[in-house]
Amino acid sequence: MSITFYKYQGTGNDFIMIDNREGAFPHEISHIAKLCNRRTGIGADGLILIENHDTLDFDMIYFNADGSQSLCGNGSRCAVRFAKQLGLIENETRFQTIDGEYYATIDQDIVHLKMKDQMEPARHEDHYFLNNGSPHHIVFVEKAESAPVVKQGSTIRYSDQYKPDGTNVNFVEILNQHEIFVRTYERGVEDETLSCGTGITACSLAAADKGLMSPIDVQAKGGKLQVKFERTPGGFTNIWLIGPALRVFDGHINI
């Protein structure tokens, strides 16, 4: 079977996008892993299907590169950009994800994704933890550039405290009162990615506990994002993940 695909990226976090409103693409892990493989397939951090929804603009079905599922912030932003390309939306949208309904607006290539309200990240002796649709272990470091992201990240990801499902692992450097640098080891990709939207959001909320104020500019290896939020007693509301979502190329492939 030949399928048409589109490749999108949000600050280096890249995704295969498929218009699956007719249901032709099967939800099979073997197909997803094959297409996401960077040596034998198209290559991507994840695969996204745009499908019909009874009441919302569309249903975003997200798969990590290994076929597992979770909420993906950058993937959601790219899905919004793709939905506009398909003519499903104009400048705002409400759509379905594995984590429920989400709202977003789009201005040219910049997508503003409204995240769900969150409690304060759990503070531990040497790290923070927050699950905002995807689980995130957060470590603050002096120099993120030299952090052992893959080695230490994989160790934490598979540690007993996070069994059986594991966690994403983020290394955060505070640059100033409004800016951080984040590197992330992503489960499901099993490697460092150039950017992680839910991770960047979680890290920004953890940074607020250290005195940083909204909006927080976030430098990832793949580019810059911004996180806006309002503090509430015990948590955060009106959280926005803001950044570019760009079409890279499209084509056809047999599966």
Side-chain angles (χ1 to χ4, degrees), residues 164-224:
D165 297 323
T167 184
N168 302 287
V169 184
N170 305 270
F171 298 82
V172 189
E173 176 184 348
I174 296 175
L175 302 177
N176 56 57
Q177 284 299 102
H178 286 282
E179 188 173 12
I180 59 177
F181 177 30
V182 176
R183 296 177 65 191
T184 303
Y185 179 94
E186 283 201 53
R187 66 170 190 169
V189 179
E190 307 311 330
D191 202 350
E192 179 179 8
T193 55
L194 296 182
S195 175
C196 173
T198 56
I200 280 170
T201 305
C203 292
S204 297
L205 302 184
D209 186 63
K210 292 183 173 292
L212 275 70
M213 298 176 288
S214 176
I216 294 179
D217 293 323
V218 185
Q219 177 67 55
K221 297 194 79 173
K224 291 185 178 181

Side-chain angles (χ1 to χ4, degrees), residues 71 99 102 115 118 130-136 197-199 201-202 205:
L71 176 70
D99 192 43
Y102 274 73
M115 306 294 284
Q118 297 293 328
L130 179 69
N131 191 324
N132 58 351
S134 289
H136 288 281
T198 56
T201 305
L205 302 184

